[in-house]
Structure formats: C-alpha cells, structure tokens
Amino acid sequence: MSLYEQIKADLGYLKLDAAAGSFATLAEQARVEDWTHIDYLARLIAIQATADRDRRLAARMRYARFPFHRRVEDFDFDFQPSIDRALVDDLATLRFIDERRPVLFLGQPGCGKTHLAVALAILAAEAGYRGYFSTGDAMVKTMVRADHDGVAATKIKTYTAPTVLVIDDVGLIRLKSAAEAAWFFEIVNTRYEKGHPTIVTTNRGLPDWGEIFGDTVVAAAILDRLMHNAIVFNIRGPSWRLREHDSLQIATTETRGKGTR
C-alpha cells in the first residue's frame, strides 16, 4: 500500500470521510500551486469541519420538525408595519437566548407570527442550538398519551431539553382537560427554571388565556413564567392568506372580464 493509500485509509478509519474523499485531489492541487504543508493541512481540515457542521445542522433541523424553512429577511415588514423591525433584527442576533427571554407573538391568524417564530428558531439551530417546534394542541395531547403509556418522564424532554422551543397557535384549539393544562404548565415551568427561552404564537389576547386553559389560576401561573422578562409583539396587521386570496380573486375577475370582451 502506498503512503497516499495509507493516509486515505487512516482518514476513513477515523471517520473523516470528507477529508478522505478530498485528500488526493487536494494533494495534487497543493503540488501544482506549491502550497506549504500548513496550507494543505488547513484546507483539508476545513473541508472535514464544514462537512461535520453541515451534517450536524441537518440533524438538528430534522429533529426540530419545523413546518417550513423561512428567513427573517423574507418577511414583508411593509405589509405588517406594526412589527418593530429593529426589535426583530435584535432577536436575530440570538441575544435573547443568552438573556433567557421568552418571545410572544400575538395576532390574528395569517399575520406572520409563525413565520417569525420559526425563522428565529432556525437561526438558533444554525448557530448550534437545539430547537423544536410543536403546536400547543399537539404538545399537550402528546404528553397526555405519554402519561397514559407510562413514558411521560422521558417524553417531556422532547419539549424541555431543546434550547429554543416554539409553541405555535396557543388558544387556536381550547384545551379539553385539566391534565392538558397541567402538562402545558409543567413544560413552560421547567423551561423557565432551566432558563431555556420559549417562543409562543397565539391568536388570543392574554386576558383570554383563562378560558383557553379552563382555569384562571393555571393560566396566570403559565403567563407568570412566559411574561417574565419577555419580548412581546402585538401584531395588528391583516392576514397574508387573505391578501393572497384577494389577489387571486382580483386576477380571476380580470381574466373573466377579458374573456367577455
């Protein structure tokens, strides 16, 4: 076995597959361009490091179960002028994670709450943090089933272990039992004690949360944790989906009008 083959085999044994795959090509480029040994080594390590980072990010994104891939810069702030863009840009620095600050997006369905919540969580995942997404309804139903199956102590880590948790559409479906409300509180409280920021979207005003949870005391305890040092957006703009519907209606009307001429 030649020295080249031995090095490639050793890289493969060490599970440095990206470096092993690029070793020969990079070595030839180093010879042609007269790189120093340090230059060659730095570039070979960079190839492996990039591959490892990409693989770990892909794993974090799969785990997070984000419903879509959206960016902060894709958000149309002109369409929703009630949103403080400077504050969103500050959140995009992820300082809210270090400062352990919850983030709440309040507004009617379709106003962009979930877009911004997911975009921030994606930025966190790209920075190396673990994130997770769930609707409020799915989260509590999952925990009730886990409790029934005797695996609640393990399952709750799905929601309490990630650095950033997005709980979407809180209040869209009213909780159906005291057990669901209790699990919601348990998750929020555990995250609060750990200092893990929770991002919540809701289409209901905070005074309505007693109705959502069926218990004003539980609702107050949940809000106490979520609102402590929180960043709150009250989005008062229209729905994106209704705008798209109106645009479609206009386009269809115009097309029909042209057809009758």
Side-chain angles (χ1 to χ4, degrees), residues 139-177:
M139 183 179 75
V140 295
K141 280 181 169 51
T142 296
M143 287 309 307
V144 169
R145 285 195 302 270
D147 192 27
H148 180 269
D149 296 339
V151 295
T154 300
K155 188 60 184 177
I156 196 173
K157 295 177 183 177
T158 300
Y159 307 106
T160 59
T163 306
V164 175
L165 172 68
V166 176
I167 308 178
D168 194 40
D169 281 337
V170 175
L172 186 62
I173 299 176
R174 188 180 305 174
L175 274 64
K176 295 180 174 59
S177 68

Side-chain angles (χ1 to χ4, degrees), residues 26-56:
L26 206 62
E28 177 60 20
Q29 187 177 357
R31 184 190 66 79
V32 171
E33 299 181 12
D34 195 26
W35 295 349
T36 66
H37 290 88
I38 293 297
D39 288 336
Y40 172 73
L41 184 60
R43 298 188 190 204
L44 188 65
I45 291 173
I47 288 172
Q48 184 63 51
T50 298
D52 286 352
R53 281 193 291 268
D54 290 346
R55 175 176 53 80
R56 290 170 184 171

Side-chain angles (χ1 to χ4, degrees), residues 20-249:
S22 303
F23 170 72
T25 302
L26 206 62
E28 177 60 20
Q29 187 177 357
R31 184 190 66 79
V32 171
E33 299 181 12
D34 195 26
W35 295 349
T36 66
H37 290 88
I38 293 297
D39 288 336
Y40 172 73
L41 184 60
R43 298 188 190 204
L44 188 65
I45 291 173
I47 288 172
Q48 184 63 51
T50 298
D52 286 352
R53 281 193 291 268
D54 290 346
R55 175 176 53 80
R56 290 170 184 171
L57 173 59
R60 289 194 298 274
M61 294 295 283
R62 286 194 301 273
Y63 174 84
R65 297 187 177 184
F66 297 131
F68 45 69
H69 194 282
R70 300 275 172 83
R71 315 295 302 189
V72 170
E73 54 268 29
D74 296 332
F75 192 84
D76 188 349
F77 289 93
D78 292 333
F79 185 68
Q80 297 292 11
S82 66
I83 297 177
D84 186 339
R85 182 167 191 169
L87 184 53
V88 174
D89 289 341
D90 184 70
L91 286 173
T93 68
L94 303 181
R95 187 168 61 183
F96 75 96
I97 295 176
D98 292 332
E99 295 177 351
R100 304 179 173 189
R101 303 187 68 179
V103 182
L104 280 70
F105 291 100
L106 287 67
Q108 293 303 307
C111 67
K113 305 183 301 296
T114 305
H115 179 144
L116 290 174
V118 170
L120 291 172
I122 286 174
L123 284 175
E126 291 174 342
Y129 297 103
R130 286 177 65 196
Y132 195 79
F133 175 95
S134 177
T135 64
D137 183 60
M139 183 179 75
V140 295
K141 280 181 169 51
T142 296
M143 287 309 307
V144 169
R145 285 195 302 270
D147 192 27
H148 180 269
D149 296 339
V151 295
T154 300
K155 188 60 184 177
I156 196 173
K157 295 177 183 177
T158 300
Y159 307 106
T160 59
T163 306
V164 175
L165 172 68
V166 176
I167 308 178
D168 194 40
D169 281 337
V170 175
L172 186 62
I173 299 176
R174 188 180 305 174
L175 274 64
K176 295 180 174 59
S177 68
E180 290 183 351
W183 280 118
F184 197 106
F185 170 78
E186 184 66 25
I187 290 166
V188 168
N189 185 58
T190 301
R191 293 186 60 79
Y192 173 77
E193 291 177 346
K194 286 185 173 185
H196 289 344
T198 302
I199 303 176
V200 171
T201 77
T202 179
N203 66 342
R204 302 288 295 273
L206 300 184
D208 297 334
W209 278 35
E211 181 183 350
I212 293 169
F213 290 95
D215 188 317
T216 56
V217 175
V218 173
I222 291 169
L223 284 172
D224 177 67
R225 274 70 172 178
L226 286 177
M227 292 298 292
H228 180 238
N229 202 31
I231 301 166
V232 181
F233 292 85
N234 189 5
I235 306 173
R236 295 181 295 276
S239 166
W240 294 90
R241 287 183 284 273
L242 288 179
R243 182 181 72 166
E244 292 173 355
H245 173 74
D246 291 342
S247 297
L248 179 61
Q249 289 286 88

